[in-house]
Amino acid sequence: MLPLRITALLLIASVLACDRADEAPPRRWEFETMGTLAALELRGPVSEHEAEGMKRVEEAFRAVDSLMSTWDPNSELSRLNRAPVDSSLALSPLLGDCLARALALRTLTNGAFEPGAEPLMRLWGFYRREGRLPDPEALAELLPRLDDYDYEPDTRRFLRRSEEAAIDLGGVAKGFALDLAAAALLELGLDRAMIDLGGNLYCLGEAEAGRAWRVGIRDPLDRDRIFASLSLRDQAVATSGSYERFVTIDGKRYGHIMNPATGRPAEGLLSATVISEDATMGDGLATALFV
Ligand code: ADP
Ligand code: MG
């Protein structure tokens, strides 16, 4: 997850005015988390559990951030990436779950999604936000080592097999956090909500009785234009693009999604959007489809 100030979001929720007299007006909260802007909007009859719902959504995001941030040297993921080679480590249930989901995505996408892309991100300078062209030899040596790690979901034990191996869950973390947040809301009976995490959305239930949530997708080339409009019910939407997070090397822009087969930032596509019931899956697939 790259820390990011408030940038224009990839997606905007076109909040249609809710004029129906029998419906309470939308309730909306906004806050900063995971290096981006998050929002929660609740619709339907007002419930006594709304403040608690807001709190749990925020807690879910903070939990994911504190476990999986590659920026925070004290996150569980950062510690795991520094663990001695060949000594296995037990992961917390949440990090273990997310890594298991990421590995399933790796299998599903034939390695286009690679949780072990961390050393590539590092080599290209993404963590320093200062790009540099990697030495071709160093890159060629690194490629076969990207998957030099083992994870055993049943025991939640993780092991690095070489000094190079390291994990970055930035390709699924937002979706994973959205799934946690949506589950927390449902547990409280809050079943009509839109959760926005930096442009990754989860839409629970309906915006109005009989009417789905409407979400506009911005044109990647013209941010003032909506180029597609979606109707969502109990669905998440994730967009991956290279135009918002990039580094510039010798005047050329390089996006933050790596092609594990070449070791280079993926090129040739402006953005990929995935609609899914499972936000983790949608987020991971958007990243993989971009590759
Ligand atoms: P965003 O954080 O903007 O929603 P994505 O979901 O598209 O971005 O994921 C991009 C992030 O995924 C990168 O910043 C990096 O942390 C990680 N990543 C980069 N390349 C890959 C890859 N091939 N497979 C899995 N994760 C990747
Ligand atoms: Mg993604």
Side-chain angles (χ1 to χ4, degrees):
M1 287 159 270
L2 304 177
L4 170 88
R5 285 296 124 219
I6 302 164
T7 63
L9 301 180
L10 296 170
L11 296 163
I12 57 162
S14 45
V15 179
L16 300 167
C18 171
D19 303 323
R20 298 169 62 115
D22 54 333
E23 299 232 353
R27 283 81 67 197
R28 194 176 162 85
W29 294 264
E30 286 177 13
F31 51 99
E32 276 185 68
T33 184
M34 293 176 77
T36 188
L37 252 195
L40 170 65
E41 184 168 319
L42 296 174
R43 300 275 184 101
V46 174
S47 147
E48 55 179 324
H49 300 304
E50 295 189 355
E52 178 65 16
M54 169 60 215
K55 199 176 120 215
R56 291 207 198 162
V57 167
E58 210 171 335
E59 277 168 7
F61 294 166
R62 292 204 199 294
V64 170
D65 197 30
S66 74
L67 293 176
M68 303 177 199
S69 169
T70 44
W71 299 90
D72 174 2
N74 295 315
S75 71
E76 188 181 353
L77 188 64
S78 296
R79 281 184 279 125
L80 166 152
N81 284 340
R82 290 194 304 266
V85 168
D86 286 333
S87 88
S88 94
L89 221 85
L91 304 193
S92 69
L94 222 47
L95 182 60
D97 270 7
C98 190
L99 183 55
R101 297 294 314 273
L103 290 171
L105 275 153
R106 178 174 77 177
T107 307
L108 183 69
T109 63
N110 271 326
F113 191 92
E114 174 51 82
E118 201 265 11
L120 285 177
M121 298 287 290
R122 187 169 300 285
L123 200 61
W124 282 87
F126 281 93
Y127 299 129
R128 304 181 316 162
R129 262 167 291 167
E130 200 190 298
R132 58 182 162 198
L133 280 182
D135 168 50
E137 261 174 52
L139 197 59
E141 270 172 40
L142 181 59
L143 279 190
R145 322 229 76 164
L146 292 180
D147 59 356
D148 266 1
Y149 58 88
D150 293 315
Y151 179 62
E152 182 49 63
D154 294 336
T155 55
R156 292 206 307 272
R157 297 203 78 86
F158 175 85
L159 180 129
R160 294 166 70 223
R161 278 190 273 108
S162 74
E163 221 27 91
E164 288 82 5
I167 304 293
D168 178 334
L169 293 171
V172 279
K174 283 185 192 156
F176 188 75
L178 280 176
D179 280 331
L180 290 178
L185 290 180
L186 286 177
E187 215 169 84
L188 293 167
L190 302 169
D191 56 4
R192 284 174 61 184
M194 179 186 282
I195 320 166
D196 178 350
L197 181 52
N200 280 48
L201 305 182
Y202 204 105
C203 297
L204 275 177
E206 300 183 316
E208 292 167 49
R211 228 153 110 191
W213 292 92
R214 305 279 297 158
V215 170
I217 302 182
R218 286 188 200 275
D219 184 334
L221 293 178
D222 176 2
R223 319 200 46 74
D224 296 331
R225 221 176 67 89
I226 303 293
F227 97 118
S229 164
L230 311 174
S231 288
L232 304 170
R233 277 187 182 88
D234 292 321
Q235 282 163 318
V237 55
T239 295
S240 279
S242 60
Y243 45 90
E244 289 226 325
R245 295 181 179 193
F246 52 81
V247 293
T248 308
I249 309 171
D250 298 335
K252 182 172 161 29
R253 283 180 175 193
Y254 294 89
H256 67 136
I257 298 176
M258 300 290 136
N259 182 344
T262 62
R264 299 177 57 81
E267 283 180 306
L269 205 66
L270 285 169
S271 75
T273 294
V274 175
I275 303 166
S276 59
E277 279 167 28
D278 179 308
T280 309
M281 175 68 82
D283 189 0
L285 283 182
T287 307
L289 286 170
F290 190 84
V291 173

